[in-house]
Amino acid sequence: MKRRASVVVIGGGISGLSIAYNLAKLGLDDVVVVEKRYLGSGSTGKCGTGIRQQFTTKEHIMLMKESVKLWEKLSEELGRDVGYRQTGYLWLIRDEEELSVFKENVNIQNKYGVPSRIINVEEALEIVPYLNPEVFIAAAFCHKDGKASPFKTVNAYYEAGRRLGVEYYTYTEVRGMVVENGRIRKVITSRGDIETDKVVNVAGAGARKIGEMVGVNIPVENYRHHIVVTEPFQEFVKPMVIRGKLYFTQTERGGIIGGIDMPEKPDQPLRARLDFLEVFATNLVKVMPILKNVNILRQWAGYYVMTKDNHPILGEAEKLEGFYIAAGFSGHGFMMGPIVGKLIAELIMYGKPSVPIDALRLERFERGELIYERAVIG
Ligand SMILES: Cc1cc2nc3c(=O)[nH]c(=O)nc-3n(C[C@H](O)[C@H](O)[C@H](O)COP(=O)(O)OP(=O)(O)OC[C@H]3O[C@@H](n4cnc5c(N)ncnc54)[C@H](O)[C@@H]3O)c2cc1C
């Protein structure tokens, strides 16, 4: 294990792996990733695979537009297939009131160059057959949205980073940090100390705790979300389909993966809830009756790490030089991985990222400068 590093990345999920890879790509040859379990063991390995640009704020739309450009070339760039498929997101609209909101959303998305559009029920049925036409009056569709495999993506970033000299310490927990004269001096881990003056907090559900170690308040809350995968069958649900708080699509292997929002208090242990199965299955079959006999293979839970305005916290903490944060993705961190890695690496190396992220700084909470995202699913 290295005893000195230019940058210590705390957390081996998609954010940490992408940041480490991008730092190495920009020329840093002594980056380390410290992960308390295995790579992808946090929310990344538990996620719903979706990648979309259909957001409602300029900040999210711009980030995701750039992220999709990177996803489109990611397998090639990393030298390994990440399972990326641009199969779209189909958002089913339930009534006139929702329709007017979606028209507004599509207008904002189009304004920033995202080719989403409102389509009628017949067109939606051409994209996804067997949908129940009685449960929606129109849909919003963006063919440039899509999905990828979290496991393949984690592996691809890991291997590409390793080739560039990144070192990964798994089953190694960060337990504290030493700060002297307003600068980070070292990171204390379960396997010894690493001297450094730059730390990236990408600890997902552990991000608040990492902040506490250096006296930086990171206002995120961890909400448990449930998700299932069914047995595989021939593919006909190509896009991610969303209706209200229900979402589902088919994985590369052909199983339906999906979830629905359940009322939860913060910080619940990651145990499965039986009542979720009933709520999910009832809603799924209402939207797609043909699925009523499909068997569910597996159910699990992971955390959405939420901020008050449903946007991530990105940037260096004003209070502590060298302490960078990429956390609070509010259920959207997998899709943002490629762009977040690029921008945080640029910020660390050049002091300025190529896409502005100032509006997403930690200090927006103290200053009351929140930017509210309405399109949070699940
Ligand atoms: C059910 C579900 C469905 C989702 N669906 C989607 C989706 O369709 N699309 C999408 O974009 N996002 C989705 N998300 C959200 C997405 O999974 C997360 O936003 C994203 O994975 C966050 O990645 P991360 O690398 O920031 O954090 P994580 O993947 O959580 O990684 C953080 C890592 O830090 C490690 N860690 C924590 N504390 C310490 C410590 N003290 N020392 C060392 N290591 C530590 C953890 O073990 C963990 O591996 C979903 C989430 C869930 C739960």
Side-chain angles (χ1 to χ4, degrees):
M1 186 166 165
K2 273 201 166 85
R3 293 294 167 212
R4 246 202 101 68
S6 300
V7 180
V8 175
V9 176
I10 306 175
I14 187 161
S15 310
L17 296 172
S18 173
I19 290 168
Y21 162 76
N22 276 284
L23 283 168
K25 189 179 154 192
L26 294 182
L28 269 197
D29 61 3
D30 62 341
V31 178
V32 304
V33 175
V34 182
E35 164 56 53
K36 73 174 172 187
R37 292 184 69 216
Y38 54 91
L39 302 179
S41 59
S43 298
T44 299
K46 295 177 175 134
C47 85
T49 75
I51 297 168
R52 66 174 156 115
Q53 299 159 90
Q54 292 185 74
F55 281 96
T56 65
T57 66
K58 178 184 163 199
E59 285 74 18
H60 266 161
I61 296 170
M62 294 311 285
L63 272 184
M64 278 315 301
K65 215 178 105 180
E66 294 306 314
S67 206
V68 164
K69 284 185 198 157
L70 298 173
W71 275 110
E72 285 169 346
K73 289 183 285 183
L74 201 61
S75 297
E76 197 187 321
E77 161 151 14
L78 300 180
R80 229 183 214 288
D81 178 35
V82 299
Y84 178 65
R85 292 188 294 158
Q86 220 156 18
T87 42
Y89 258 58
L90 183 71
W91 220 299
L92 306 181
I93 299 171
R94 292 173 288 188
D95 52 35
E96 291 298 331
E97 200 183 322
E98 260 191 19
L99 182 59
S100 68
V101 173
F102 274 90
K103 280 184 176 162
E104 239 178 76
N105 296 349
V106 163
N107 276 342
I108 303 171
Q109 290 151 10
N110 293 170
K111 181 174 154 195
Y112 294 111
V114 172
S116 53
R117 61 198 167 96
I118 301 287
I119 59 174
N120 62 30
V121 173
E122 289 68 39
E123 283 174 277
L125 285 167
E126 272 168 33
I127 297 166
V128 181
Y130 310 120
L131 286 171
N132 177 2
E134 282 165 23
V135 300
F136 65 108
I137 61 162
F141 185 64
C142 177
H143 68 280
K144 288 217 144 198
D145 291 345
K147 52 194 169 187
S149 159
F151 309 111
K152 288 184 175 176
T153 308
V154 162
N155 198 36
Y157 269 121
Y158 160 68
E159 285 186 353
R162 202 178 50 172
R163 282 195 297 273
L164 296 174
V166 177
E167 291 197 10
Y168 303 85
Y169 307 132
T170 53
Y171 294 95
T172 308
E173 188 178 8
V174 171
R175 296 194 169 152
M177 271 173 268
V178 174
V179 177
E180 279 167 12
N181 305 323
R183 297 291 312 241
I184 298 168
R185 294 290 168 215
K186 58 175 139 170
V187 174
I188 301 163
T189 84
S190 52
R191 289 171 57 205
D193 300 352
I194 308 169
E195 279 181 38
T196 190
D197 59 2
K198 289 188 187 70
V199 162
V200 190
N201 176 1
V202 266
R208 181 188 271 268
K209 229 171 160 180
I210 297 292
E212 282 165 8
M213 292 175 187
V214 289
V216 174
N217 177 34
I218 300 178
V220 292
E221 280 194 302
N222 305 324
Y223 282 91
R224 179 171 68 179
H225 276 258
H226 304 268
I227 182 164
V228 296
V229 72
T230 71
E231 62 188 342
F233 52 89
Q234 194 185 353
E235 191 183 44
F236 55 81
V237 189
K238 288 188 177 158
M240 183 71 81
V241 178
I242 302 163
R243 183 177 177 276
K245 295 288 181 186
L246 170 78
Y247 68 92
F248 62 97
T249 188
Q250 270 177 277
T251 67
E252 271 184 310
R253 293 186 180 184
I256 289 276
I257 188 169
I260 194 163
D261 209 16
M262 296 290 285
E264 289 280 6
K265 294 191 194 105
D267 292 325
Q268 295 303 301
L270 290 181
R271 263 188 239 120
R273 265 174 68 170
L274 252 191
D275 56 347
F276 160 78
L277 270 188
E278 196 181 335
V279 177
F280 174 74
T282 310
N283 278 277
L284 180 69
V285 172
K286 192 166 143 194
V287 174
M288 217 172 211
I290 198 173
L291 296 176
K292 70 174 188 290
N293 291 322
V294 167
N295 293 305
I296 287 171
L297 288 187
R298 220 187 122 211
Q299 174 186 355
W300 66 96
Y303 291 117
Y304 275 26
V305 182
M306 304 298 296
T307 61
K308 276 208 178 72
D309 63 3
N310 301 333
H311 285 78
I313 300 168
L314 299 178
E316 187 179 12
E318 266 177 23
K319 235 175 122 179
L320 181 61
E321 203 181 324
F323 187 63
Y324 298 85
I325 304 155
F329 289 98
S330 306
H332 314 126
F334 176 61
M335 60 182 88
M336 291 182 187
I339 190 66
V340 163
K342 181 170 189 274
L343 299 180
I344 297 291
E346 288 169 351
L347 180 67
I348 293 172
M349 296 297 280
Y350 310 137
K352 198 172 173 335
S354 51
V355 175
I357 49 172
D358 278 351
L360 299 173
R361 295 186 70 153
L362 170 67
E363 292 72 25
R364 74 179 185 272
F365 298 99
E366 284 162 21
R367 295 183 189 130
E369 293 165 357
L370 304 190
I371 19 164
Y372 191 69
E373 174 61 63
R374 284 178 291 179
V376 178
I377 318 164

